[in-house]
Amino acid sequence: ALEALKADQEVSQEAARGSEERLMAVEEELKASQAASEELQQQLSKVQGDLAARLEEQTTLRAALETAEAGQATHQQVSEELQTSLSQLAELTSAHAALGEELTFSKTAQEELEKRVADAEAAKQEAADRVERAETRLEQA
């Protein structure tokens, strides 16, 4: 019976080590996910800044276009600049939307990793409890 209890204790300790290793791996994944999420947030902020600058530029160009209607050459140049600005604005808007989607996906993945960390911690605690019960039975035997 003593040998069986010792074997049970050894199995429980091995399970606890495995749970701890899985927990550390999931925590590393979580750290990597958080870093990626921060990077996406920085990119999103940059695109938002670029977007605001382009909107301001567009407003300025529209005002310049209205002022320059008297001179056809100036009008044509401002019109081309406005079209370029509008194209850039469309590209930035698209990039902003894509980064927003990536950030949402990253946050969802991060929440899943946090759940896995909690599950791994629960498994680790359960294994530790089994080890403690096995040690108690071993001492009683």
Side-chain angles (χ1 to χ4, degrees), residues 103-123:
L103 183 59
T104 299
F105 176 77
S106 177
K107 286 182 180 179
T108 301
Q110 186 176 343
E111 290 170 2
E112 177 61 31
L113 286 173
E114 289 171 352
K115 181 186 179 303
R116 288 175 55 195
V117 166
D119 291 346
E121 288 175 343

Side-chain angles (χ1 to χ4, degrees), residues 3-18:
E3 288 300 319
L5 287 174
K6 284 183 181 179
D8 186 37
Q9 179 187 16
E10 191 174 308
V11 167
S12 295
Q13 286 175 335
E14 189 63 35
R17 282 191 290 274

Side-chain angles (χ1 to χ4, degrees), residues 48-125:
Q48 286 173 330
D50 290 347
L51 185 58
R54 291 296 176 210
L55 286 171
E56 186 176 326
E57 181 180 322
Q58 181 183 7
T59 301
T60 302
L61 288 173
R62 281 182 195 239
L65 180 60
E66 291 171 3
T67 303
E69 284 182 28
Q72 184 59 31
T74 303
H75 180 270
Q76 182 63 33
Q77 179 184 3
V78 171
S79 179
E80 289 172 5
E81 288 178 7
L82 179 58
Q83 288 303 317
T84 301
S85 178
L86 288 172
S87 295
Q88 290 172 339
L89 180 61
E91 290 173 12
L92 286 170
T93 301
S94 177
H96 181 269
L99 283 172
E101 289 176 11
E102 281 187 49
L103 183 59
T104 299
F105 176 77
S106 177
K107 286 182 180 179
T108 301
Q110 186 176 343
E111 290 170 2
E112 177 61 31
L113 286 173
E114 289 171 352
K115 181 186 179 303
R116 288 175 55 195
V117 166
D119 291 346
E121 288 175 343
K124 177 183 172 186
Q125 184 60 45

